[in-house]
Amino acid sequence: MRAARLIKMVLLLQARPSMTGAELARELEVSERTVTRDALALSEAGVPVYADRGRTGGYRLIGGYRTRLTGLGRSEAEALFLSGLPGALREMGLEDAASAARLKVSAALLPSLSDAPRSAAQRFHLDAPGWYQEPETPPLLAPVAEAVWEDRRLRAVYRGRHADAGRELELEPYGLVLKAGVWYLCARSGGGHRVYRLDRFSSAEPDEPFERDEEFDLPGFWEERAAQFARSLLRSEALVRVTEEGARRLPYLTDRVATRRALAEAGAPDASGRLTVTLPVESHDVAFEQLLALGPELEVLAPPELRERFARAAERTALLYGDGDGDDRDRDRDRDRDDNDHDRAPDAPDAPDAPVSPAAPGA
């Protein structure tokens, strides 16, 4: 445990010019006193850790000291080769650089770990696009990625309904996000950060460098904007009553977070075991398409116009399966019951339940 912490401390100091005791303690999840003891242990082991005293002091490595990669364990080496996304790197024009980096890391590994690259690649694969979607690489992805890597401004023209659409923009590109097979650019424009869908740029040309705000957190920014976007879509409501099975399936058909919150706030089920839920929806048209998949597991109570649409859909469905009038169906049902009684031996015990076949993958 301590050996791993000492290695991490060296790598942290190797990556930064200097770190305070508080910063190291936070990164290593230990006390500052432990940091002091660890720094002394490293110094005694020959690692040139130097402590600057005073208010602006801290810890640093001297003499250009660099550690090697031969301390990687198998799980660390395999995780390293999982960190890249081959398809995305290729689309951004970075496959050659990534390949060279993998070769260099492979050469630095111990002989016992030489199979780590192939071991990881043959066990895990990322397929980002959703089902039934043919991914398309935006034609301007490579120059935009170049601008992102080099912190260079972009002169671009954007199409669509965006507030900036139709005019030339000067953007400071901060990061690219691949979401469900679609590329997005997070860029600063007019003093604030915005999100642009990459396939809607009609032109994009890298320009002069800009000074990047090092405090910008791309994952945090994207998570916040994605949540805002999802909430902004839910502009209406539907009052529904669902069975237990309907409640289980409902989050997979609608906005998962909002639906689970609505189910949690629904209270206790009624005497029939059904929950009455006020469900946030994008629109009544979207709600009709989403909720129709639950069939008899869900009843729409309000608004009246949406309930009426479901009633008409149920009537049309009943007509599709209604062969003949009600009397004919009753006679058929009685005949089927008589046939089943005739086939069963008079005193035979009930047959055991048939074994349930395992569900197919993805069912």
Side-chain angles (χ1 to χ4, degrees):
M1 185 71 176
R2 189 190 185 196
R5 189 174 72 243
L6 292 174
I7 292 173
K8 185 176 181 180
M9 183 175 180
V10 172
L11 293 175
L12 285 169
L13 293 175
Q14 184 173 296
R16 307 180 192 180
S18 176
M19 293 184 70
T20 66
E23 290 172 337
L24 282 169
R26 185 167 56 252
E27 290 282 353
L28 299 172
E29 298 180 350
V30 296
S31 67
E32 291 189 45
R33 182 174 297 180
T34 299
V35 169
T36 301
R37 289 199 298 264
D38 286 351
L40 180 60
L42 286 171
S43 181
E44 292 174 348
V47 179
V49 178
Y50 183 78
D52 292 313
R53 301 191 179 278
R55 182 179 299 178
T56 59
Y59 296 89
R60 59 187 174 89
L61 293 175
I62 59 175
Y65 180 85
R66 308 290 293 179
T67 188
R68 297 181 179 179
L69 289 173
T70 50
L72 286 174
R74 171 167 292 278
S75 60
E76 295 169 326
E78 290 176 341
L80 179 64
F81 284 96
L82 280 176
S83 61
L85 310 180
L89 291 171
R90 183 172 57 253
E91 292 172 6
M92 288 189 292
L94 299 173
E95 175 58 22
D96 289 344
S99 177
R102 287 193 292 269
L103 287 173
K104 291 178 180 178
V105 173
S106 297
L109 293 175
L110 293 170
S112 60
L113 303 179
S114 61
D115 65 330
R118 185 178 184 280
S119 173
Q122 294 303 317
R123 285 169 172 79
F124 299 97
H125 174 69
L126 175 66
D127 185 9
W131 290 107
Y132 315 117
Q133 297 178 7
E134 188 67 27
E136 294 185 5
T137 303
L140 297 172
L141 176 57
V144 172
E146 177 187 344
V148 169
W149 277 113
E150 299 178 359
D151 291 339
R152 295 171 61 189
R153 288 186 174 87
L154 272 176
R155 293 193 178 276
V157 176
Y158 194 71
R159 306 186 305 268
R161 293 174 294 178
H162 201 282
D164 290 334
R167 59 188 180 89
E168 185 175 87
L169 307 174
E170 185 175 288
L171 305 175
E172 296 178 355
Y174 270 70
L176 286 165
V177 175
L178 179 60
K179 168 71 171 178
V182 180
W183 286 94
Y184 296 88
L185 172 68
C186 301
R188 186 165 61 187
S189 174
H193 291 87
R194 300 183 181 182
V195 177
Y196 300 86
R197 183 163 164 158
L198 206 58
D199 58 6
R200 292 180 182 165
F201 282 105
S202 57
S203 67
E205 183 178 348
D207 201 0
E208 61 185 14
F210 69 93
E211 186 175 347
R212 183 184 182 90
D213 179 7
E214 297 299 335
E215 298 297 320
F216 178 76
D217 175 24
L218 178 61
F221 171 78
W222 176 260
E223 182 179 0
E224 179 183 349
R225 286 302 175 91
Q228 288 177 1
F229 177 73
R231 289 194 300 268
S232 71
L233 294 178
L234 304 177
R235 297 185 293 267
S236 190
E237 290 182 342
L239 185 65
V240 301
R241 187 158 49 215
V242 292
T243 64
E244 183 179 353
E245 173 64 13
R248 184 187 69 80
R249 292 165 52 188
L250 191 57
Y252 299 97
L253 299 172
T254 56
D255 181 272
R256 189 168 300 184
V257 174
T259 298
R260 285 179 172 164
R261 184 183 300 117
L263 288 170
E265 297 172 353
D270 60 19
S272 65
R274 294 174 177 250
L275 284 174
T276 300
V277 183
T278 301
L279 187 67
V281 295
E282 183 174 342
S283 68
H284 294 158
D285 289 338
V286 173
F288 179 76
E289 295 176 0
Q290 293 174 332
L291 303 180
L292 196 62
L294 288 178
E297 306 299 334
L298 177 141
E299 176 190 2
V300 174
L301 303 177
E305 59 271 22
L306 183 59
R307 179 179 174 86
E308 178 61 25
R309 288 184 67 179
F310 273 83
R312 292 197 302 268
E315 291 173 358
R316 295 198 304 272
T317 303
L319 289 174
L320 291 175
Y321 293 95
D323 297 330
D325 59 26
D327 293 338
D328 291 339
R329 289 195 295 273
D330 290 341
R331 284 194 296 272
D332 291 341
R333 185 170 59 250
D334 292 341
R335 185 172 61 251
D336 291 341
R337 184 168 58 247
D338 291 342
D339 290 343
N340 290 335
D341 291 342
H342 177 74
D343 291 340
R344 181 188 292 268
D347 299 321
D350 290 339
D353 292 337
V356 179
S357 300

